[in-house]
Amino acid sequence: MSESPSSPAFRPLFAQIHELIVERVMAGEWRHEEPLPSEAEFAKFYNVSQGTVRRAISEMTAQNLVVRFRGKGTFVVRHTKEREHSHFFHLVRNDGAKDLPTSKPLSCRSRRSNKEICQRLDLQAGARVGMLERLRLIRGVPVIFESIVVPEAVFPDFAAAFKENLPNELYPFYETGYGVRVIRAVERLSAVPATARVAEGLNLGQGAPMLEIDRIALAYGDKPVEWRRSLCNTKDYKYLSTLY
Amino acid sequence: MSESPSSPAFRPLFAQIHELIVERVMAGEWRHEEPLPSEAEFAKFYNVSQGTVRRAISEMTAQNLVVRFRGKGTFVVRHTKEREHSHFFHLVRNDGAKDLPTSKPLSCRSRRSNKEICQRLDLQAGARVGMLERLRLIRGVPVIFESIVVPEAVFPDFAAAFKENLPNELYPFYETGYGVRVIRAVERLSAVPATARVAEGLNLGQGAPMLEIDRIALAYGDKPVEWRRSLCNTKDYKYLSTLY
DNA sequence: GAGTGGTCTAGACCACTGT
DNA sequence: CAGTGGTCTAGACCACTCT
């Protein structure tokens, strides 16, 4: 594991260990229920000090890949409703309250991808995708019109599986159903006029200003696994973003 | 500096040291040009090990409060055009390019705060504030209509000083002119129709959908120091947000 | 060469969890 | 009780900067 210290492409030991362990987590070597090896075991395995392993794993906790419990061990993070809500749902009520949305599916089917979908999801021309449209309701009121596209190469038979389970939160569903963990997402926000269809679903006038959230969700290795467009009525809810 | 280890309100040593040093940076004890004391000096001063000081300062680098250079020392972060742009300006061109905006001031004056301003900036009723309106142009094209309110208690004589300097980026101006460092901001985004005045400035039709960014900028201790509303034409530029 | 921060090690003590 | 992660210390070696 040692590396010529002043070699041209030098990387710190802890960064190398970090990368190695992340790869093993990605490969699904440990289930959510079972702990990763302890610091001492990793240290022995990789022939480095316990402090170096500690630093490697600390980076992983910072990246939300694992959680650690004193006395119990280190565990791969699982997508929960709570996590999805706190990390990937940014609409808050004008008074600051965070409400959990519910869902009303409108349609779910399989189709061939067009040029735009291929480009956004990095697919081959004509690859099949699952497509889902739904309304999201907060306190029973429809606030978001959402259309979601996922590659069937990653989620085989998505449409049928969705109809069977009708999950409200998708990321935990991706994880338990397909072993796909969304770890990052890039969103592009803009203001657009409501189309007739969207306006109808959300009880708005046609052409009313809507907040469009265009999101690409990424799994390990920045692999795109979902393209989602959310059209939001921002009268009573705002998109919250904190900058540092 | 030692603390009863199993006391009810136990805080790790490094967190206490962190807090102490942050307070001293806040108080302006070191200028941007001069380095903070070295790890060894801090360790001796607070009577802890160098590793503990290192961890305290590492937290500060993670929070963008200081930067460290091997062989040189640790320095208080200064707001630069680059930093403001990368941390606090989130509009990117549709093709992904990040352009720097220029500014065209429309008005700048002093006024009494109304109820809404007092609430947002946490001010006493009737406190005086500086108010600035400007257009922001990207590649010469007006894209954002911006109105900015700052408390004169924090920025004495703001309107006059602004007119004298006509800064393009405000946060470096706040810092060099008033010693106020913006370290965090909370933004609420929504879609609104363009008013006649805004539509005119941005060459849009009245009622066109606009992205409104409502931002409160915070200094140390989460003290609000600026309220900014930016109305953006998102035809060619989108607001970029990355989620983890 | 002295001083800076960055990495790595080794070992101590602690709090908490399981048995 | 042994085993886990969390904190703290002490010391070594390194790359880099300034003088």
Side-chain angles (χ1 to χ4, degrees):
Chain A
M1 183 41 60
S2 58
E3 190 74 31
S4 157
S6 43
S7 91
F10 168 73
R11 291 192 66 217
L13 247 187
F14 71 86
Q16 299 177 44
I17 303 295
H18 171 78
E19 193 176 329
L20 290 170
I21 300 179
V22 166
E23 275 169 11
R24 293 174 66 179
V25 168
M26 278 173 56
E29 190 165 334
W30 301 283
R31 300 173 48 81
H32 299 108
E33 300 75 28
E34 63 184 350
L36 270 61
S38 69
E39 293 179 356
E41 286 171 311
F42 271 131
K44 196 177 174 191
F45 182 84
Y46 289 118
N47 194 29
V48 297
S49 80
Q50 188 165 334
T52 300
V53 171
R54 158 165 289 279
R55 183 153 177 195
I57 300 184
S58 290
E59 302 244 316
M60 295 173 67
T61 66
Q63 301 170 239
N64 280 313
L65 295 184
V66 297
V67 284
R68 317 194 77 186
F69 302 100
R70 191 155 42 177
K72 296 180 72 175
T74 303
F75 300 84
V76 176
V77 162
R78 170 175 221 133
H79 260 112
T80 61
K81 269 198 328 193
E82 294 68 32
R83 173 165 148 72
E84 164 152 7
H85 188 242
S86 63
H87 284 77
F88 294 102
F89 188 79
H90 280 198
L91 281 198
V92 300
R93 248 213 350 259
N94 288 344
D95 63 15
K98 298 197 76 173
D99 294 319
L100 282 158
T102 58
S103 302
K104 182 181 169 190
L106 300 177
S107 72
C108 185
R109 62 196 178 88
S110 170
R111 54 164 288 187
R112 290 202 170 280
S113 58
N114 59 22
K115 202 172 156 190
E116 192 181 15
I117 292 175
C118 288
Q119 191 239 318
R120 299 304 301 275
L121 287 177
D122 197 14
L123 298 176
Q124 306 284 343
R128 294 204 70 84
V129 293
M131 185 157 183
L132 163 66
E133 290 189 319
R134 61 178 182 174
L135 292 179
R136 306 216 79 187
L137 297 78
I138 311 182
R139 304 195 165 206
V141 179
V143 174
I144 308 172
F145 183 101
E146 213 163 59
S147 60
I148 293 163
V149 179
V150 297
E152 290 191 357
V154 178
F155 303 95
D157 228 359
F158 173 79
F162 178 83
K163 283 174 186 165
E164 201 170 294
N165 291 274
L166 292 179
N168 182 25
E169 284 80 19
L170 288 180
Y171 294 175
F173 174 64
Y174 294 165
E175 184 161 334
T176 56
Y178 301 93
V180 172
R181 257 194 296 278
V182 172
I183 57 167
R184 210 160 72 81
V186 178
E187 297 189 331
R188 283 186 162 74
L189 281 71
S190 59
V192 300
T195 62
R197 175 140 185 263
V198 172
E200 187 198 0
L202 299 178
N203 297 318
L204 291 168
Q206 189 174 338
M210 309 221 59
L211 177 66
E212 177 182 87
I213 308 173
D214 180 306
R215 172 197 292 180
I216 298 291
L218 305 160
Y220 285 119
D222 282 349
K223 176 179 175 54
V225 293
E226 180 200 68
W227 178 25
R228 177 186 298 215
R229 270 168 303 176
S230 306
L231 292 158
C232 312
N233 174 359
T234 53
K235 177 173 171 288
D236 298 320
Y237 295 86
K238 306 284 183 267
Y239 180 98
L240 192 68
S241 173
T242 303
L243 322 182
Y244 295 92
Chain B
M1 183 42 61
S2 58
E3 188 75 32
S4 157
S6 43
S7 91
F10 168 72
R11 291 193 64 215
L13 247 188
F14 72 86
Q16 299 177 43
I17 303 294
H18 171 78
E19 191 176 330
L20 291 170
I21 300 179
V22 167
E23 273 169 12
R24 291 174 69 179
V25 168
M26 279 173 55
E29 189 165 334
W30 302 282
R31 300 171 50 80
H32 301 107
E33 300 74 28
E34 63 183 349
L36 269 62
S38 68
E39 293 179 355
E41 287 172 311
F42 271 132
K44 195 176 172 192
F45 182 84
Y46 289 118
N47 194 29
V48 297
S49 82
Q50 189 166 332
T52 299
V53 171
R54 159 166 290 279
R55 182 153 180 196
I57 300 183
S58 290
E59 301 245 316
M60 296 173 68
T61 67
Q63 302 171 238
N64 280 313
L65 295 184
V66 296
V67 283
R68 318 194 77 185
F69 302 101
R70 195 157 39 181
K72 297 179 71 176
T74 303
F75 301 84
V76 176
V77 161
R78 169 174 222 135
H79 261 112
T80 62
K81 269 199 323 195
E82 294 69 31
R83 173 165 147 71
E84 165 153 8
H85 187 242
S86 62
H87 283 75
F88 294 101
F89 188 78
H90 280 200
L91 281 198
V92 301
R93 243 201 9 248
N94 288 345
D95 63 15
K98 296 198 76 172
D99 295 319
L100 282 158
T102 58
S103 301
K104 182 181 169 189
L106 299 176
S107 72
C108 185
R109 62 197 178 86
S110 170
R111 54 164 286 188
R112 289 203 170 280
S113 58
N114 58 23
K115 200 172 160 191
E116 192 180 15
I117 293 174
C118 288
Q119 192 238 319
R120 299 304 300 275
L121 288 176
D122 197 14
L123 299 176
Q124 305 285 344
R128 293 204 72 83
V129 294
M131 185 157 185
L132 162 66
E133 290 189 320
R134 61 178 182 172
L135 293 179
R136 306 216 78 185
L137 297 77
I138 310 183
R139 306 195 165 206
V141 179
V143 174
I144 307 171
F145 184 100
E146 212 162 63
S147 60
I148 293 162
V149 179
V150 297
E152 290 191 355
V154 178
F155 304 95
D157 229 0
F158 173 79
F162 177 83
K163 283 174 186 165
E164 202 170 293
N165 291 273
L166 292 179
N168 182 26
E169 285 79 20
L170 288 179
Y171 294 175
F173 174 65
Y174 294 165
E175 184 160 334
T176 57
Y178 301 92
V180 172
R181 258 194 297 278
V182 173
I183 56 166
R184 207 161 73 83
V186 178
E187 297 189 331
R188 284 187 160 74
L189 282 69
S190 58
V192 300
T195 63
R197 176 143 185 258
V198 171
E200 187 196 4
L202 298 179
N203 297 318
L204 290 169
Q206 189 174 338
M210 310 221 57
L211 177 66
E212 176 181 88
I213 307 174
D214 180 305
R215 173 196 291 178
I216 298 291
L218 305 161
Y220 285 119
D222 282 349
K223 177 181 174 54
V225 293
E226 180 202 68
W227 178 25
R228 176 186 298 215
R229 268 168 305 176
S230 305
L231 292 158
C232 313
N233 174 359
T234 51
K235 176 172 171 290
D236 298 320
Y237 295 86
K238 306 286 182 267
Y239 180 98
L240 192 67
S241 174
T242 303
L243 322 182
Y244 295 93

